[in-house]
Amino acid sequence: MNVLKKDQAQMMLQIIATVLLFRFVLFENLIEELGLSKLHYFLLLIAIGITIFGGVLLYKIVLQEEFPEKNIEKDINKAYYRYLAANMVAIGISFFVSSAIDKTYYFGFFLALFAILYLYMTQWRKVLVFDNAVYSLIICAPVFMLVVLDLMPSLQIYDSTVNLEKQQILNISLQICTLLWLLYFIKTILIDLKFMELDIKHKRKSLATIHGRILGAKRTTFLSFIPLILIIIFCVLHINLTILIGYIAVAVILPYLFYLAKLWKAKSTEDFNSINNILNIIIWLTIFSIVVLYFNLQ
């Protein structure tokens, strides 16, 4: 469980680094009139964090109800109040910011995140594969939300030349977000393979516990070709960004090919732990491409 917590902590750190790099390295230096001021940006980031924290509280409540013999939450009633309080604070912050910047439809993004978290914790986490997809989407939600909320209002300015530049940055940013979502989706499957023995012991179902590690490694290898294909398509579409494409070829594609080779042969817990670490490095290198993109667009 300590290893799992380390994985979760690293993913949280990666997402925080991503949202900060997008805002303070890429957007602020290349785009005028962003949708959010610094204060509103951090307030919305805090609201997202509190909403996800509320989801974690709900998860503990659900586990306690499913396994009454375990001591996860001593007082479920108090836990529910903490869950509701956390969500009320998050919704209050998001509504305040949305009203302050005259973009009340921003409030809908937070209601959607609240609903997805509730459905995931209570129902969707038991649906094989779909739970991996939704969990990885929740991880990437802060990045998707803050990229869109920061850039959408600036595209409403009727200046075709400026809008084309902003649209290019928005498109590339969303493509990077989508790639991160796919990498996290694969990472969750790798974590299932790594903790297969523990899941069997606690009678938790996953693709790994049903089909085993050898078949799981082969299947995950084929699945891992999807991000690689998207990276190659990205390079073709943005061939004019020579610095970025060169960085991706050396720092992302080459390690990714090594990751695929290791994954195909993986059998043991140690193998999947090593492969998970390689994927973590690839994710960090993908996040750093935001900095390279800034220098390329400069």
Side-chain angles (χ1 to χ4, degrees):
M1 290 302 291
N2 289 332
V3 179
L4 182 59
K5 288 177 181 178
K6 288 179 182 177
D7 269 313
Q8 292 170 338
Q10 181 155 202
M11 287 189 286
M12 187 182 301
L13 186 61
Q14 288 167 341
I15 293 302
I16 291 171
T18 304
V19 296
L20 294 179
L21 286 175
F22 267 130
R23 170 66 193 229
F24 296 104
V25 173
L26 190 63
F27 298 164
E28 277 206 355
N29 292 308
L30 296 177
I31 297 175
E32 296 180 1
E33 299 183 34
L34 290 169
L36 301 169
S37 67
K38 288 179 183 178
L39 174 62
H40 293 145
Y41 189 87
F42 280 114
L43 282 174
L44 289 184
L45 184 58
I46 290 169
I48 294 171
I50 295 173
T51 303
I52 294 174
F53 173 71
V56 174
L57 290 176
L58 179 62
Y59 178 60
K60 290 181 179 180
I61 294 168
V62 171
L63 283 182
Q64 184 64 68
E65 290 176 341
E66 290 178 357
F67 305 100
E69 70 281 2
K70 293 186 178 181
N71 188 23
I72 302 169
E73 282 291 341
K74 293 181 180 179
D75 193 326
I76 291 181
N77 290 329
K78 287 184 178 179
Y80 266 119
Y81 287 131
R82 290 198 300 272
Y83 163 69
L84 291 173
N87 282 287
M88 287 175 66
V89 170
I91 289 173
I93 293 172
S94 61
F95 184 76
F96 164 76
V97 174
S98 301
S99 301
I101 59 178
D102 294 325
K103 305 290 181 186
T104 49
Y105 55 83
Y106 281 9
F107 186 56
F109 287 93
F110 288 86
L111 292 179
L113 179 61
F114 172 80
I116 290 170
L117 274 166
Y118 179 81
L119 290 169
Y120 174 77
M121 297 302 174
T122 57
Q123 300 176 40
W124 292 345
R125 65 185 178 85
K126 297 180 181 180
V127 183
L128 293 179
V129 183
F130 184 65
D131 69 319
N132 297 89
V134 176
Y135 181 65
S136 54
L137 181 62
I138 291 169
I139 293 169
C140 291
V143 187
F144 275 109
M145 289 172 65
L146 290 171
V147 164
V148 172
L149 299 182
D150 226 5
L151 292 186
M152 268 203 326
S154 65
L155 287 170
Q156 296 172 0
I157 300 170
Y158 297 101
D159 186 327
S160 58
T161 305
V162 174
N163 271 358
L164 283 174
E165 294 172 356
K166 292 178 181 177
Q167 190 66 55
Q168 182 191 29
I169 294 173
L170 176 61
N171 290 340
I172 294 174
S173 299
L174 290 177
Q175 287 161 12
I176 292 173
C177 292
T178 303
L179 177 60
L180 286 174
W181 169 65
L182 286 170
L183 291 175
Y184 281 124
F185 173 58
I186 292 168
K187 181 178 172 65
T188 61
I189 295 174
L190 281 177
I191 290 173
D192 286 342
L193 289 166
K194 186 169 76 169
F195 291 102
M196 184 190 75
E197 294 168 356
L198 192 63
D199 286 341
I200 291 172
K201 180 181 177 181
H202 293 285
K203 297 179 181 180
R204 289 192 292 259
K205 281 189 177 182
S206 68
L207 287 178
T209 60
I210 294 172
H211 299 130
R213 278 179 171 153
I214 294 176
L215 178 59
K218 301 293 186 284
R219 179 175 51 220
T220 309
T221 303
F222 287 117
L223 183 64
S224 296
F225 273 98
I226 297 174
L228 180 61
I229 292 168
L230 291 179
I231 292 169
I232 294 170
I233 293 172
F234 176 88
C235 292
V236 172
L237 291 175
H238 304 286
I239 195 67
N240 58 311
L241 301 173
T242 52
I243 299 174
L244 179 63
I245 300 307
Y247 171 83
I248 290 173
V250 174
V252 179
I253 293 178
L254 287 180
Y256 201 83
L257 293 174
F258 177 67
Y259 150 81
L260 289 172
K262 290 274 290 182
L263 179 58
W264 181 258
K265 299 176 183 177
K267 295 178 182 178
S268 65
T269 301
E270 292 73 20
D271 290 337
F272 287 106
N273 185 53
S274 174
I275 291 162
N276 182 48
N277 291 335
I278 294 169
L279 187 58
N280 270 331
I281 293 170
I282 293 169
I283 291 171
W284 276 115
L285 291 169
T286 302
I287 292 167
F288 189 73
S289 68
I290 298 167
V291 179
V292 180
L293 174 62
Y294 162 70
F295 284 113
N296 203 152
L297 292 175
Q298 274 285 80

